[in-house]
Amino acid sequence: MTERDVARKRWAGQQPVAPLFSLRLDRLPLVVPVSLSLAVCCVVGVVKLHVGPLLRRQPPLTSSNQLSAREGYKAVRYAVKKINDKDSHNIILSYLIHGCYKDTLESLVASTGLNVTTAQLEDMEKRKRILHSALEGKALDAIHLTEQMSPDLLENNKDLLFDLLSLHFVELICSRKYTEAIEFGQAKLTPFGKVQKYVEKLEDFMALLAYDEPEKSPMFHLLSLEYRQHVVDNLNRAILANAYMPSYSKLERIIQQATVVRQCLSEELGKDVLSPFSLKDFLKRS
Amino acid sequence: MANDSDQTHQQQHDLIGSYFLDLWRLKSQTASASHSKDVNMTNPDNEHEQLEQDDDDDEPVPTELDTLNSSGWFSIVLPDKLSVKYPSVNLHGHDVGVVQANCPAPVKRLFYYFEMYVKNAGAKGNVAIGFTNEGFNLRRQPGKNGQVVGTVEKDVKGRLYPTVAVHSQNEEVSVNFGKDPFLFDIKAYEAAQRAKQDTSIERISIPQTASYGIVRSYLQHYGYEETLNVFDEANQTSVPPVTGFHDNGFNEHAMYALNHRKILRKLIMNGQIDDALRNLHEWYPETVQDDTSAICLMLHCQKFIELVRVGRLEEAVDYGRNQFEKFYNLKQYEDLVKDCATLLAYGEPSKSSVGYLLEDSQREKVADAVNAMILSTNPDLKDQGSCLHSYLEKLLRQLTACFLQKRLLNGNQGEAFHLQRVLLAKNS
């Protein structure tokens, strides 16, 4: 049985229903004394559609409900049909651009006739170089290239600048160049300490110096590939945002949306009707 | 007669074939609809936008005050049907003059807004504004000079009418349902509401392998062999390497016949239909065995289209005469064959209502159909439906269906699901 069938079955079930809202017909209309001035008095008649607690109960299956249910299912079928190839192409395109998959993109463009400009490809190449430098531990190169490409970016993004500098610091520590690390740390990282929010981070990094085997210290995660990837992700998003491009790929967005709406739905219909959404399971199903 | 397994095979094939014919038919209908609206058809984005708007525009909106159901003696609606005044002198508590709009507030949108202007506050200034249904339950959301003062959550199902009321001598108000610009900055409000929605969604974290897997399966599914190889290579040398899902048997069957599918897609996208047919007969004869099947129709029609494209019209006519006859007998194909034949009627067919046939999107449909047919010959195939879509489309369908189901549970109120809006949403 599809999920729709289950939901439909539940609707048709004769479950006792508490009234959703009782009309107080005996109540007189409330009268609002409005300012006596003759100025324009604008009022907002905004009806915010509040979903939450109402839907814990099942609406009774009146004839108007039935009609709207039928309309609803028609709408679903129709909307699903309208998903067209262009959407898929755009989504894949946006993923490849976001991840700087230049060669893959060129190959796909050749096979499908999608449109990508040389300017877009060049920008991707530049961004790729920046991100790869940072990932390979050449954070100073990354900073330099970023400043070349977008001069004000790091100035306006101090958090990111700190994170990139910290990558270089970590690189020095991992290469056991402790003197250099101290010098670099004091010159470049310590100045950030003037601002309260950086103090804790700064202390964590500097503390790495105290350990013979920093990878066994409590701050070992700062040396990890995951941390580096995290900083590089932020750098990628910052560069994209700076160029007025989306900082999240459309595919990410779609998956996020699907997760959210599916979770909402399984909450509303109840866990016995719709299992909680697991992206992994969904993708495994053929 | 063909034996049972052949027959079921055939039926299964035609389920796939007819799915793609339906897609073609949908395209034909929207193409002719937008063509007759004088929309520039060579701009596919435009056409897509049109489709998006149709859903919500159908809903009626209030335009003026209702003069039929009035509160009797206690209010007078002026001839412009946008102003109300209180006539008599009585100041009894019950003597409120309430007037509703001519139609309930539309619900298929993010929010609905209207304004009231106090022309004369009268003796006591007892005007009111809000929404009511058939009874007189006023819900009021007072505002002042263009700013939101408060809102009331709508916890009622059923249509609500924008309503105003007057109560004391000489009071007069007028309403604005949108004919004139609003004082309240509605655009800023809308933007703020949408931004709030976006932020809550942005916070959901998803594993990196999810996107990666979907993209990879897309390339596999549609037979983009070369691109897949480049993609795999890029990811092997990537830092950090993407791992963690090859193990799950993620869409294994999509590697089936990858090379053949790639070749066929290339041929079709290049308009080389004869070569494509030849290859199909050689490699997957069961898919083209029945010459009246949906897939054969698509291929023959495409050949016809290609001949028209290069101006070999006589050949096209001959080909049509030979091939289309057998399809004319099959009612379900009539309209599509007709579309193809119509191409001959125009000097500049690309500008006609059937011009869509000459676009790449038509070639792509045929390529996708052939691709699906080949996938269906996979002996390890468990689910026929998986031939039709890659995971990406499945995800999009799931998203659409869930969204609309959610709206349905809310009494069918709220915005329609617009995939474009999700795709174009601003990111911080």
Side-chain angles (χ1 to χ4, degrees):
Chain A
M1 244 203 291
T2 67
E3 291 150 17
R4 268 219 310 267
D5 291 334
V6 180
R8 226 183 273 166
K9 197 168 177 223
R10 198 157 143 105
W11 278 54
Q14 299 303 310
Q15 291 169 356
V17 172
L20 299 171
F21 172 75
S22 48
L23 281 179
R24 295 281 302 278
L25 291 174
D26 57 326
R27 231 151 148 242
L28 294 172
L30 292 161
V31 167
V32 181
V34 168
S35 157
L36 294 179
S37 80
L38 293 179
V40 174
C41 176
C42 293
V43 289
V44 178
V46 171
V47 176
K48 276 173 65 175
L49 299 171
H50 183 63
V51 169
L54 175 72
L55 291 158
R56 304 259 184 266
R57 315 168 184 167
Q58 288 297 306
L61 198 65
T62 64
S63 60
S64 64
N65 261 349
Q66 265 178 331
L67 196 59
S68 96
R70 241 179 280 141
E71 277 174 26
Y73 293 127
K74 236 173 57 183
V76 172
R77 280 199 296 273
Y78 183 60
V80 157
K81 266 192 177 164
K82 286 202 293 194
I83 298 168
N84 68 9
D85 292 327
K86 258 191 146 16
D87 295 328
S88 302
H89 286 323
N90 281 333
I91 291 171
I92 301 286
L93 199 68
S94 132
Y95 174 86
L96 294 175
I97 290 177
H98 184 93
C100 291
Y101 287 101
K102 180 163 167 282
D103 297 329
T104 313
L105 190 58
E106 283 174 327
S107 167
L108 190 62
V109 161
S111 313
T112 57
L114 284 172
N115 271 331
V116 173
T117 66
T118 24
Q120 276 177 302
L121 289 171
E122 276 169 11
D123 280 341
M124 265 173 71
E125 187 59 50
K126 280 190 212 158
R127 195 161 37 101
K128 190 159 117 181
R129 257 186 297 153
I130 295 175
L131 299 177
H132 275 210
S133 308
L135 272 172
E136 288 165 5
K138 306 200 192 102
L140 293 181
D141 284 348
I143 293 176
H144 177 63
L145 289 169
T146 308
E147 282 171 349
Q148 258 187 349
M149 187 173 168
S150 335
D152 289 330
L153 199 156
L154 291 172
E155 265 309 300
N156 297 333
N157 225 317
K158 292 285 189 192
D159 286 357
L160 189 54
L161 181 56
F162 180 86
D163 287 342
L164 286 167
L165 291 168
S166 75
L167 283 185
H168 181 72
F169 181 79
V170 162
E171 186 62 26
L172 289 171
I173 296 216
C174 289
S175 330
R176 311 275 187 245
K177 297 184 184 151
Y178 296 115
T179 339
E180 263 190 76
I182 296 177
E183 279 174 8
F184 178 77
Q186 288 185 338
K188 294 290 187 175
L189 292 178
T190 311
F192 281 87
K194 295 192 202 124
V195 178
Q196 183 55 37
K197 68 170 168 171
Y198 294 114
V199 169
E200 196 180 321
K201 267 183 168 179
L202 183 58
E203 288 176 356
D204 278 350
F205 278 105
M206 293 312 247
L208 285 168
L209 285 166
Y211 292 85
D212 225 13
E213 291 179 283
E215 52 277 355
K216 300 210 176 122
S217 72
M219 286 81 61
F220 69 94
H221 62 280
L222 296 173
L223 304 167
S224 70
L225 193 52
E226 280 81 41
Y227 174 72
R228 234 183 297 157
Q229 184 67 58
H230 172 72
V231 175
V232 169
D233 276 347
N234 287 343
L235 179 56
N236 190 26
R237 297 195 205 282
I239 298 177
L240 287 166
N242 192 255
Y244 301 106
M245 287 174 62
S247 47
Y248 286 83
S249 73
K250 291 178 184 178
L251 185 52
E252 267 183 282
R253 271 279 175 267
I254 297 279
I255 299 177
Q256 283 170 327
Q257 282 264 351
T259 311
V260 168
V261 76
R262 185 53 208 258
Q263 272 170 2
C264 276
L265 210 52
S266 66
E267 273 166 23
E268 287 168 18
L269 286 176
K271 291 204 167 50
D272 49 329
V273 174
L274 207 62
S275 55
F277 184 57
S278 155
L279 183 63
K280 214 168 69 159
D281 289 340
F282 170 74
L283 293 175
K284 258 202 264 176
R285 266 190 286 131
S286 63
Chain B
M1 282 261 81
N3 64 27
D4 268 352
S5 76
D6 274 355
Q7 245 190 348
T8 39
H9 223 55
Q10 213 50 49
Q11 284 167 352
Q12 281 172 344
H13 280 165
D14 256 31
L15 275 177
I16 293 177
S18 46
Y19 170 81
F20 286 98
L21 286 185
D22 277 343
L23 280 183
W24 178 358
R25 195 168 274 127
L26 185 64
K27 173 84 186 198
S28 163
Q29 285 164 352
T30 54
S32 60
S34 57
H35 188 260
S36 61
K37 279 184 189 169
D38 271 339
V39 171
N40 181 9
M41 269 234 338
T42 58
N43 183 355
D45 290 327
N46 213 339
E47 172 188 310
H48 199 73
E49 258 167 47
Q50 277 260 303
L51 288 174
E52 299 288 9
Q53 282 160 11
D54 286 349
D55 269 354
D56 294 344
D57 282 352
D58 279 349
E59 219 182 352
V61 290
T63 49
E64 53 188 29
L65 294 170
D66 182 11
T67 47
L68 293 174
N69 299 325
S70 73
S71 45
W73 302 110
F74 303 121
S75 63
I76 297 180
V77 178
L78 301 182
D80 67 349
K81 292 202 189 172
L82 290 174
S83 310
V84 181
K85 70 184 201 183
Y86 195 80
S88 58
V89 190
N90 295 343
L91 295 174
H92 224 284
H94 296 275
D95 297 343
V96 181
V98 179
V99 186
Q100 292 179 323
N102 63 340
C103 116
V107 288
K108 295 218 170 93
R109 52 177 70 188
L110 196 58
F111 58 85
Y112 175 72
Y113 172 81
F114 76 102
E115 283 181 348
M116 177 179 86
Y117 173 76
V118 180
K119 280 192 184 145
N120 185 334
K124 283 201 172 174
N126 287 346
V127 296
I129 182 173
F131 288 91
T132 60
N133 48 23
E134 297 303 326
F136 288 92
N137 262 16
L138 267 180
R139 300 199 156 284
R140 72 209 187 315
Q141 292 110 23
K144 204 167 174 186
N145 292 339
Q147 286 168 350
V148 181
V149 169
T151 54
V152 169
E153 304 289 306
K154 176 178 184 279
D155 55 359
V156 110
K157 277 201 179 155
R159 310 314 293 271
L160 291 181
Y161 291 80
T163 307
V164 294
V166 289
H167 194 200
S168 69
Q169 192 178 17
N170 291 329
E171 276 171 15
E172 188 178 334
V173 299
S174 73
V175 286
N176 178 10
F177 290 123
K179 209 165 67 161
D180 302 319
F182 292 126
L183 196 75
F184 180 62
D185 189 351
I186 205 87
K187 287 254 181 281
Y189 181 79
E190 180 174 355
Q193 293 296 306
R194 290 203 195 285
K196 244 196 308 185
Q197 279 179 348
D198 283 347
T199 348
S200 63
I201 289 169
E202 266 169 44
R203 278 195 230 111
I204 309 279
S205 77
I206 42 162
Q208 211 193 19
T209 51
S211 307
Y212 172 75
I214 288 179
V215 172
R216 193 158 187 280
S217 93
Y218 178 91
L219 295 173
Q220 280 175 325
H221 183 96
Y222 289 106
Y224 294 111
E225 192 186 29
E226 281 149 2
T227 310
L228 182 65
N229 289 336
V230 179
F231 187 60
D232 278 343
E233 206 186 297
N235 281 306
Q236 260 157 21
T237 58
S238 83
V239 180
V242 190
T243 53
F245 76 78
H246 289 289
D247 325 305
N248 296 351
F250 194 96
N251 203 18
E252 271 309 315
H253 91 277
M255 289 301 275
Y256 172 77
L258 187 59
N259 185 253
H260 281 173
R261 289 188 285 121
K262 177 202 81 178
I263 294 174
L264 278 158
R265 177 174 292 274
K266 273 208 158 134
L267 289 173
I268 294 173
M269 291 307 286
N270 232 6
Q272 296 167 253
I273 308 297
D274 285 330
D275 293 335
L277 273 165
R278 194 181 12 247
N279 282 340
L280 272 175
H281 274 290
E282 190 185 320
W283 297 333
Y284 305 99
E286 67 269 47
T287 59
V288 285
Q289 208 168 32
D290 175 6
D291 211 29
T292 61
S293 63
I295 191 67
C296 285
L297 172 77
M298 288 189 84
L299 285 162
H300 288 307
C301 284
Q302 195 58 35
K303 168 110 186 104
F304 178 87
I305 291 168
E306 296 302 332
L307 288 170
V308 173
R309 189 198 303 278
V310 292
R312 284 148 68 177
L313 298 179
E314 274 185 35
E315 272 184 71
V317 171
D318 276 341
Y319 192 80
R321 258 205 265 268
N322 281 330
Q323 296 298 335
F324 290 169
E325 196 182 308
K326 54 179 178 270
F327 295 114
Y328 274 132
N329 295 332
L330 300 159
K331 283 262 150 179
Q332 68 262 34
Y333 301 148
E334 241 178 13
D335 55 328
L336 300 172
V337 175
K338 204 156 143 232
D339 269 10
C340 294
T342 312
L343 278 173
L344 292 172
Y346 297 93
E348 286 187 274
S350 55
K351 297 199 181 145
S352 71
S353 64
V354 290
Y356 74 93
L357 290 171
L358 293 169
E359 289 170 12
D360 267 351
S361 59
Q362 190 63 21
R363 280 175 169 172
E364 195 166 353
K365 273 193 188 59
V366 179
D368 288 346
V370 167
N371 188 62
M373 291 301 265
I374 298 176
L375 282 175
S376 74
T377 66
N378 184 359
D380 294 334
L381 189 63
K382 293 187 202 89
D383 169 22
Q384 280 286 317
S386 67
C387 303
L388 298 176
H389 303 294
S390 76
Y391 277 116
L392 178 57
E393 284 85 26
K394 289 197 180 83
L395 188 62
L396 291 174
R397 286 157 83 91
Q398 167 92 181
L399 177 59
T400 308
C402 285
F403 203 104
L404 288 171
Q405 175 74 356
K406 182 166 175 290
R407 184 171 86 153
L408 191 67
L409 287 175
N410 192 28
N412 225 9
Q413 300 172 117
E415 284 189 300
F417 175 66
H418 284 179
L419 184 61
Q420 287 307 307
R421 196 175 285 137
V422 172
L423 295 177
L424 296 171
K426 276 221 177 77
N427 301 296
S428 53

